[in-house]
């Protein structure tokens, strides 16, 4: 494991990174952005090391992916063994155990003890697309309901499902049809109880789409890119009940919130919500590309043979990585670790809010926490301050991410392998960044 410290030996980004940034500008399409252009050479625990020899503290986990830490031992061991054995056969041609093992783990770990089956894919967006395909075949219906502030991906169907225009959709239409957006529960902004917000969303869908036309309702149980909004208690259970009552497939998109991140195996566990289908990716495979749709066996099996698949879906190396990551989660009680990290972050953020009224909301669960910045005493988004604080953190060697429809949410997604001291040091930097950016 690399040394667990924050150490800056150059400015951030340093000269070696800046030289490489010029190469990136020459050869990589401008549409592929980079938030913090430090070129990484090694990472592990809670630290990223760059080409200039700087050590940065990681509060982003590559967008909630390296939950078990970068290059976690069981992931490295499994991947090394698998690449030596074989790298690819295509599961649709000749199968192998690791794929089936991952599906078995998903049946066991995802919410509910009913019979479940899984199909594996590469990216989160691909999993969401396939969940919609399955729901459509199973119900014989077309319409898909999604929510305000939702993020489901960048492919054509998932762009239609994603709410935010810039940067995800601008100029990329026309988008897939039969996607309808309902109001989300957003406690800071709507003041509604979960039941009230659910009634509002249900009425909207019932009147504007018709329950009988809906194949599925797809929702992130805690919003990801849309701002880490946690719906008011009761919202998800009410929505899920309505879906059950009307034969609508309830799809939980747990691509960001899943696999120990929130202090449970899945965010749905918190209120005992049992989705019909659940999409997972990111944290599941410790950094290798793997995604899944898991759900009721009867729904999953409604698709004809050959209807689901893809050349690389459930690649053996990615599956081996997932089995290693899940092993790390089990042996190191990473749900418990996420809760402990969540408690530490919440305390630090509460202290910060006492000093900075620009912090309008602290929310999230476990190691998926965020603060929303607004003009004091209002809900007027303050994206400029959010960007300024984030830039100050970056200069001081802490990798922080922002999100939210208005770009005014600071999100904290440390790897669960980060130590307490390093986490506190990162929040010292965040605290300092608030102090030096005014307000
Ligand atoms: N569903 C809930 O969070 C991916 C995207 C970042 P892919 N979120 C990070 C970016 O700017 O592209 C995500 C998610 C939820 C679906 C996805 C899509 O997952 O693996 O990026 O396709």
């Amino acid at each position: 494991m690399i040394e667990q410290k924050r150490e800056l030996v150059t400015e951030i980004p340093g000269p070696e990174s800046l030289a490489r940034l010029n190469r990136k500008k020459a050869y990589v399409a401008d549409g592929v952005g980079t938030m913090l252009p430090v070129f990484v050479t090694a990472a592990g625990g809670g630290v990223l090391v760059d080409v200039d020899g700087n050590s940065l503290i990681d509060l982003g986990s590559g967008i909630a992916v390296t939950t078990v830490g970068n290059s976690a031992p069981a992931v490295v061991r499994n991947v090394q063994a698998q690449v030596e054995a074989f790298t690819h056969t295509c599961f649709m041609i000749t199968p192998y155990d690791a794929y089936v093992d991952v599906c078995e783990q998903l049946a066991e770990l995802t919410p509910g003890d009913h019979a479940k089956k899984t199909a594996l894919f590469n990216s989160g967006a691909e999993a969401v697309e396939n969940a919609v395909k399955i729901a459509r075949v199973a119900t014989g219906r077309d319409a898909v309901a999604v929510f305000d502030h939702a993020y489901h991906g960048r492919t054509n169907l998932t762009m239609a499902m994603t709410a935010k225009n810039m940067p995800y959709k601008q100029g990329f239409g026309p988008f897939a049809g039969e996607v309808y957006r309902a109001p989300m529960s957003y406690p800071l902004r709507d003041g509604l109880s979960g039941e009230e917000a659910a009634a509002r969303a249900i009425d909207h869908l019932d009147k504007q789409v018709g329950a009988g036309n809906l194949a599925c309702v797809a929702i992130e149980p805690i919003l990801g890119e849309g701002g880490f909004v946690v719906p008011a208690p009761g919202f998800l259970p009410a929505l899920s009940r309505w879906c059950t009552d009307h034969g609508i497939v309830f799809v939980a998109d747990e691509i960001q919130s899943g696999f120990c991140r929130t202090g449970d195996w899945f965010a749905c566990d918190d209120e005992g919500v049992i989705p019909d289908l659940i999409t997972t990716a990111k944290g599941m495979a410790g950094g290798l590309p793997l995604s899944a749709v898991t759900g009721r066996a009867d729904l999953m099996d409604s698709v004809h043979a050959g209807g689901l698949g893809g050349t690389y879906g459930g690649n053996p190396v990615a599956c081996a990585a997932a089995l290693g990551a899940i092993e790390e989660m089990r042996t190191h009680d990473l749900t418990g670790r996420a809760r402990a990290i969540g408690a530490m972050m919440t305390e630090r953020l509460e202290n910060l809010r006492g000093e900075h009224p620009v912090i309008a909301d602290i929310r999230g669960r476990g190691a998926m926490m965020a603060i929303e910045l607004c003009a004091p005493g209002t809900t007027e988004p303050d994206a400029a301050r959010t960007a300024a604080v984030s830039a100050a953190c970056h200069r001081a060697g802490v990798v922080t991410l922002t999100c939210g429809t208005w770009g005014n949410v600071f999100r904290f997604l440390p790897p669960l392998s980060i130590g307490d001291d390093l986490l506190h040091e990162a929040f010292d930097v965040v605290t300092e960044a608030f102090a030096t950016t005014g307000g």
Side-chain angles (χ1 to χ4, degrees):
M1 165 94 72
I2 58 177
E3 203 179 338
Q4 296 298 295
K5 61 173 183 190
R6 178 177 63 106
E7 186 177 54
L8 302 187
V9 296
T10 68
E11 293 199 335
I12 301 293
E16 289 292 333
S17 279
L18 286 175
R20 285 162 172 81
L21 187 58
N22 283 332
R23 291 189 65 230
K24 174 193 179 268
K25 282 184 182 141
Y27 295 114
V28 181
D30 286 350
V32 183
T34 295
M35 181 195 71
L36 173 56
V38 296
F39 280 70
V40 172
T41 56
V47 168
L48 301 165
V49 178
D50 75 9
V51 285
D52 289 285
N54 298 299
S55 293
L56 294 85
I57 304 178
D58 182 11
L59 292 185
S61 300
I63 322 190
V65 171
T66 53
T67 302
V68 297
N70 252 294
S71 302
V75 173
V76 172
R77 183 201 63 210
N78 281 10
V79 166
Q80 284 177 342
Q82 184 59 52
V83 283
E84 277 172 23
F86 63 97
T87 49
H88 176 82
T89 64
C90 187
F91 191 79
M92 300 184 303
I93 309 295
T94 47
Y96 39 85
D97 283 338
Y99 188 116
V100 184
D101 291 342
V102 170
C103 297
E104 183 181 30
Q105 291 291 323
L106 280 162
E108 191 181 312
L109 294 170
T110 54
D113 51 18
H114 51 288
K116 287 176 228 161
K117 290 195 177 185
T118 290
L120 298 178
F121 305 96
N122 306 293
S123 68
E126 215 185 337
V128 173
E129 290 242 2
N130 279 281
V132 171
K133 283 163 64 172
I134 294 162
R136 282 178 170 160
V137 169
T139 59
R141 305 171 181 175
D142 293 334
V144 173
V146 291
F147 289 82
D148 287 333
H149 313 289
Y151 184 91
H152 296 291
R154 294 174 180 270
T155 57
N156 188 260
L157 173 57
T158 59
M159 274 194 293
M161 296 171 72
T162 289
K164 191 172 173 173
N165 180 51
M166 273 301 275
Y168 308 122
K169 303 167 77 165
Q170 177 61 38
F172 297 142
F175 304 110
E178 288 304 309
V179 175
Y180 300 90
R181 196 170 305 285
M184 179 65 181
S185 167
Y186 197 146
L188 173 71
R189 291 175 184 278
D190 64 25
L192 300 177
S193 72
E195 287 74 14
E196 289 164 347
R200 178 179 65 171
I202 288 167
D203 183 62
H204 179 100
L205 292 172
D206 204 32
K207 298 297 173 296
Q208 298 190 23
V209 189
N213 296 320
L214 277 166
C216 64
V217 167
I219 188 164
E220 301 155 88
I222 296 179
L223 293 183
E225 305 307 302
F228 280 27
V229 176
V230 183
F235 179 76
L236 294 171
L239 206 58
S240 146
R241 262 195 313 276
W242 181 71
C243 286
T244 304
D245 290 348
H246 293 86
I248 303 163
V249 177
F250 184 82
V251 182
D253 180 348
E254 293 241 24
I255 286 163
Q256 191 150 167
S257 58
F259 278 100
C260 302
R261 180 51 58 186
T262 62
D264 286 304
W265 278 95
F266 295 95
C268 278
D269 293 330
D270 186 63
E271 290 189 273
V273 170
I274 298 179
D276 298 310
L277 299 179
I278 181 169
T279 54
T280 54
K282 292 188 183 276
M284 167 162 61
L288 276 83
L290 184 70
S291 68
V293 182
T294 303
R296 281 170 35 201
D298 58 320
L299 295 178
M300 295 298 295
D301 284 343
S302 60
V303 178
H304 49 278
L308 303 175
T311 306
Y312 297 110
N315 168 272
V317 182
C319 287
L323 295 170
I326 292 166
E327 179 186 325
E328 294 273 347
M329 291 176 198
R330 288 185 194 275
T331 49
H332 299 297
D333 179 26
L334 291 189
T335 52
R337 182 66 190 146
R339 283 193 291 272
I341 287 173
M344 275 183 267
M345 294 201 293
T346 303
E347 193 190 336
R348 294 298 302 256
L349 294 172
E350 290 290 357
N351 291 340
L352 203 57
R353 170 156 67 178
E355 290 165 36
H356 299 283
V358 70
I359 300 175
D361 198 15
I362 301 174
R363 59 182 181 240
R365 201 181 298 141
M368 183 174 185
M369 296 292 304
I371 49 181
E372 178 161 355
L373 274 56
C374 295
T378 75
T379 53
E380 193 58 45
D382 192 344
R385 184 70 185 282
T386 309
V389 174
S390 197
C393 289
H394 296 172
R395 282 195 300 274
V398 176
V399 180
T400 49
L401 309 182
T402 60
C403 63
T405 297
W406 297 278
N408 67 324
V409 179
F410 235 106
R411 57 175 151 174
F412 303 102
L413 290 164
L416 304 182
S417 53
I418 195 171
D420 289 0
D421 290 353
L422 213 54
L423 187 66
H424 276 296
E425 188 176 336
F427 277 84
D428 292 344
V429 168
V430 173
T431 303
E432 179 69 13
F434 267 91
T436 56
T437 51

